Amino acid sequence: MMARTGMWPCLAASWVVGAAAAQEPGSRERTVQLTVTSAGDDSVYLDHGRDVGLQVGSLVTLSAPGAPNLEVEVRSVSHTSSRAVVPSGVPLPPVGTRGEARVVPPEPAGAAAPAPAPVRAVPEHPPWTRQEDPRAPGQPLLVPTFGQRPDERPATLDGRWFASGQWSQDRGGDRNSEYLLLRTGLRADATNYLGTGERIRVAGEFDHRSVMLPDAPDESDQDVRLDLLSVAFATEAWAATGVEVGRFYSQALPELGLVDGVEVVQRFEGGFRLGGGLGAYPVPFPARETGEDTGVHVFVDYVADAARTFAYSLGVQKTWHKGSADRDLVLVRGEWRPADRMWLLASAKVDFYTGDDTIKGRGAELTELLAQARWDANDVGAGLLVSHFTWPELKRDEYQNLPDALVRDGYVDRLSANGSMRPASWLSLRVRGDLWRDQDRDGTAYGVDADVRSVIGDGSALSLPYFETDGGYSAGPGARAALRGRLGDGSWHAGYRWHRYELDGLVTGPEKFVRQSVDVGVSWPISVSGDFDFTCERWFGDGENAIALGFYLQWRF
C-alpha cells in the first residue's frame, strides 16, 4: 500500500490542468460544458458530440473530484456523444465528472444561407375537417393538453459492448515471461420495457488472464463479474418517490460502493431529496462477493439548480459484518460555484468508534477529507487541492493484507497546486506541484507541460510534458513527447517516454535506472456506432526489454 502511495507522484505526471483558451477578436471559438456518462478501459464517454462542435482530436479538460484536472483527447464523435482516451496509467474519472472544451460551434442556422429557391405557387388547401372543442372565456390557449402514460411511451435501449486485449512480453535482464489479458463486457440501460416508465441497468464483464513463465507452469484464470443489475422506478426529477432495487450505486452516496438491496428517494419542491436504503455490500474485488456485510444508510441532499451553483449532501451509514456491529460513518459533501469561472468542492468522511474497536479506540476520526478549488478565466486558470486520508478500522475485508500498525498510525496528507495559460491560440502551458507526507516519509513532485496545436496540419498537436518526482521509494526526472493527428475520420498518435529514477530502501542499497519507451497507435471509427483502437509499445533501458500490443473495440447501441 505504501509503495503505491510513494509512486503516486510519478503517476501525477500523466494528470494535467485544463487550459482555458483566449478568444481572439472575430473568432467563433467558445467553451462548452461536458459530463462523463460512462467510463471503461482507457476511455471516457461524454454527453455531447458534433452538436456542440466537438471533433476527432479535440482536447477536453476533466475536473474529477479529488484529483488534478485531466486533459483527454476525443477519438470518435457522433452527433450527440463522443469518446475520449485517458492517458496510460491514469485512473479513470468517475461517471458525472464535469469537463470543458474549446470548440468552434456548428454554423448558426442563419449563417451562409443558400440562395432562396424560386417562389412557387402554393396550391389552395382543402377545408379543415377537424373541429376544436368549445372553449370557455379565459381558458388558456394551450389546453387541453395530454401526457403520455408509460404504456404509451416507446421502449428505449442505450448501451455498449466492448472487447479489449493486451499481450506483453518481458525479456529484460534474466526475465522471459509473457502476459495476456482479454476482456469483454456489456453496459446497457433499458427504459420502459415493462411499460411502467422504469429504468433497467446492467453492467458486467468476462476477463481471461494468462501468465507464461520459463521456469514455472503457465497460469491462467477467468473471472465473471457483475457490476450493475437493477431496476429503478420513477426516475424522473419531477416524480415524488423513486425506488431502485438490485445491485446499484446509491444516487446520493456513491462513496458507499455497490449495494445489493433497495433504496427509496423522496423528492420535494425546491431541489431537496430525502432517502435511505438497506442491503448487503459486495467487497471491492473482482468476484464481488456479497452477503457478509450488511447495513442501512439515510441521506438528505439539495441542489439549487441544473448548473449546480450550490449543492450539498449529508449521509449516515451503519454496517454489520457477519452479524457483528462494524462501521458507523457520516459523509458530508458540498459544492459551490460563487462565480461563473470558480468552482469549490469539499467532502469528508467521519468514522465513529466504540469500545468494540480495539485498534483505534473509542471516539471520532476524520477518515477522509478533500477540498478542491478551481478558477478559470479566458486565458489563465489555477487550481488548489488539499486531501487527508487514514485507514478506518473495519471488520469488513475492504483492503487486502492491511497491517494493524497502518490502521493505527497510517495517514497520507497531500497539497497540490496547478496553473495554466494560453498565450496564443496554438500554444497552451501548464505547471503543477505536489507535496505529500505520510507517517514514515514525505515527497514532492512538479511538472511543466506545453501543448502545440496544428504542428503538422489541422487537428494535430504536440505535447511536451516534463516532471520531477521525489517519492517514498523512487525519485528522478522524466519527460515525454507525444504527437497526434487526424487520419481520415480517425486519428493516429506516436510518443516517446524517458524516465531516470533512483530506488531507495533496497537491501543492496540505492540503485539508479533509466527507462525509455516508444509507442504508436491508431483510432478508427467503425460506422457511426463503433470504434477500434490499436497500440504498440516498446520498453527499453537499464534492465528493460519488453513489448506490448493492445486493442480496444466497442459497439454502441
Side-chain angles (χ1 to χ4, degrees):
M1 180 66 68
M2 295 312 301
R4 294 182 59 192
T5 302
M7 290 300 293
W8 191 96
C10 299
L11 297 179
S14 300
W15 294 88
V16 293
V17 182
Q23 189 164 343
E24 300 175 355
S27 172
R28 294 183 55 243
E29 189 179 47
R30 65 182 179 89
T31 300
V32 295
Q33 305 295 322
L34 305 164
T35 302
V36 174
T37 59
S38 180
D41 289 318
D42 62 348
S43 300
V44 293
Y45 301 86
L46 308 170
D47 60 345
H48 286 290
R50 288 191 296 270
D51 55 332
V52 297
L54 284 179
Q55 305 177 47
V56 172
S58 297
L59 299 179
V60 178
T61 301
L62 300 177
S63 301
N69 279 12
L70 171 66
E71 191 169 73
V72 296
E73 179 189 0
V74 174
R75 294 289 180 84
S76 59
V77 181
S78 67
H79 181 66
T80 57
S81 65
S82 54
R83 181 179 69 87
V85 172
V86 176
S88 176
V90 176
L92 291 174
V95 173
T97 297
R98 303 288 185 87
E100 289 186 351
R102 298 290 293 184
V103 300
V104 177
E107 288 289 341
V119 177
R120 294 183 296 176
V122 179
E124 183 179 354
H125 193 282
W128 294 101
T129 58
R130 178 178 175 180
Q131 300 297 319
E132 289 289 329
D133 296 332
R135 294 178 178 271
Q139 181 178 351
L141 177 62
L142 297 181
V143 295
T145 59
F146 301 92
Q148 283 186 313
R149 298 191 311 269
D151 58 357
E152 297 175 332
R153 304 176 197 167
T156 62
L157 179 63
D158 179 44
R160 68 183 184 95
W161 164 83
F162 76 89
S164 67
Q166 184 179 44
W167 171 84
S168 62
Q169 183 183 68
D170 183 3
R171 292 185 175 178
D174 297 329
R175 302 183 300 273
N176 185 10
S177 61
E178 294 184 36
Y179 176 78
L180 175 67
L181 170 63
L182 298 174
R183 301 173 59 201
T184 183
L186 178 73
R187 165 68 188 263
D189 287 1
T191 60
N192 206 39
Y193 269 71
L194 304 179
T196 60
E198 82 294 332
R199 183 206 67 211
I200 300 173
R201 179 166 289 171
V202 59
E205 67 177 62
F206 169 79
D207 301 342
H208 171 86
R209 294 175 175 84
S210 296
V211 179
M212 292 145 277
L213 304 173
D215 53 356
D218 296 346
E219 297 181 4
S220 64
D221 64 84
Q222 295 80 34
D223 290 317
V224 177
R225 78 185 209 192
L226 182 64
D227 294 322
L228 295 170
L229 181 60
S230 68
V231 55
F233 300 93
T235 59
E236 299 90 347
W238 45 261
T241 305
V243 180
E244 187 162 12
V245 180
R247 173 168 289 185
F248 57 88
Y249 288 97
S250 168
Q251 294 187 37
L253 303 176
E255 298 93 337
L256 300 180
L258 286 176
V259 180
D260 288 344
V262 60
E263 183 176 73
V264 180
V265 179
Q266 185 70 32
R267 304 180 181 93
F268 300 91
E269 292 184 3
F272 284 96
R273 295 192 307 174
L274 178 66
L278 57 88
Y281 301 102
V283 292
F285 305 122
R288 300 287 195 258
E289 295 178 355
T290 186
E292 292 186 346
D293 301 283
T294 58
V296 297
H297 65 271
V298 295
F299 64 85
V300 59
D301 68 0
Y302 168 75
V303 177
D305 49 42
R308 299 183 66 88
T309 54
F310 178 69
Y312 71 82
S313 298
L314 173 64
V316 178
Q317 182 193 39
K318 171 67 177 178
T319 69
W320 292 264
H321 179 72
K322 297 181 179 179
S324 300
D326 194 7
R327 192 171 198 180
D328 298 291
L329 176 66
V330 173
L331 302 97
V332 183
R333 187 191 324 113
E335 183 179 348
W336 184 34
R337 296 179 181 268
D340 219 24
R341 298 286 187 172
M342 180 171 287
W343 178 56
L344 306 175
L345 172 70
S347 64
K349 290 184 179 180
V350 180
D351 276 272
F352 292 85
Y353 301 110
T354 66
D356 294 334
D357 297 298
T358 58
I359 300 177
K360 296 281 191 178
R362 186 186 299 271
E365 180 185 37
L366 179 62
T367 312
E368 293 184 35
L369 172 67
L370 167 71
Q372 184 175 6
R374 278 222 50 86
W375 172 78
D376 289 294
N378 284 335
D379 53 356
V380 294
L384 184 67
L385 182 145
V386 179
S387 67
H388 169 76
F389 176 83
T390 64
W391 285 265
E393 180 178 353
L394 301 174
K395 297 181 178 70
R396 165 182 167 89
D397 297 327
E398 186 81 17
Y399 305 94
Q400 289 182 337
N401 303 322
L402 192 62
D404 289 352
L406 189 61
V407 177
R408 181 184 303 109
D409 304 318
Y411 69 90
V412 180
D413 291 333
R414 191 178 305 279
L415 172 64
S416 302
N418 51 66
S420 65
M421 65 179 298
R422 191 170 183 180
S425 61
W426 52 271
L427 177 64
S428 297
L429 302 175
R430 297 177 298 278
V431 295
R432 60 194 180 279
D434 186 77
L435 304 173
W436 65 270
R437 180 182 61 188
D438 64 22
Q439 71 281 355
D440 296 324
R441 55 184 66 84
D442 55 52
T444 61
Y446 70 86
V448 180
D449 299 349
D451 278 346
V452 184
R453 291 173 170 80
S454 302
V455 289
I456 55 173
D458 187 32
S460 64
L462 175 64
S463 297
L464 299 169
Y466 173 84
F467 65 91
E468 181 94 30
T469 65
D470 181 10
Y473 295 97
S474 67
R480 173 173 169 78
L483 182 64
R484 54 186 179 269
R486 293 182 181 176
L487 183 64
D489 293 332
S491 63
W492 61 269
H493 62 90
Y496 168 76
R497 295 186 185 93
W498 173 86
H499 184 201
R500 188 185 74 226
Y501 58 98
E502 179 178 341
L503 294 180
D504 198 4
L506 300 178
V507 177
T508 57
E511 296 186 20
K512 293 183 179 180
F513 299 91
V514 172
R515 191 181 215 193
Q516 302 178 74
S517 71
V518 292
D519 63 271
V520 294
V522 294
S523 299
W524 201 260
I526 304 174
S527 72
V528 295
S529 301
D531 305 287
F532 177 75
D533 293 355
F534 178 80
T535 301
C536 177
E537 195 164 11
R538 175 78 167 84
W539 294 88
F540 55 96
D542 296 333
E544 297 280 353
N545 181 14
I547 187 172
L549 304 176
F551 76 90
Y552 179 78
L553 174 66
Q554 76 153 356
W555 198 269
R556 298 181 299 274
F557 52 86

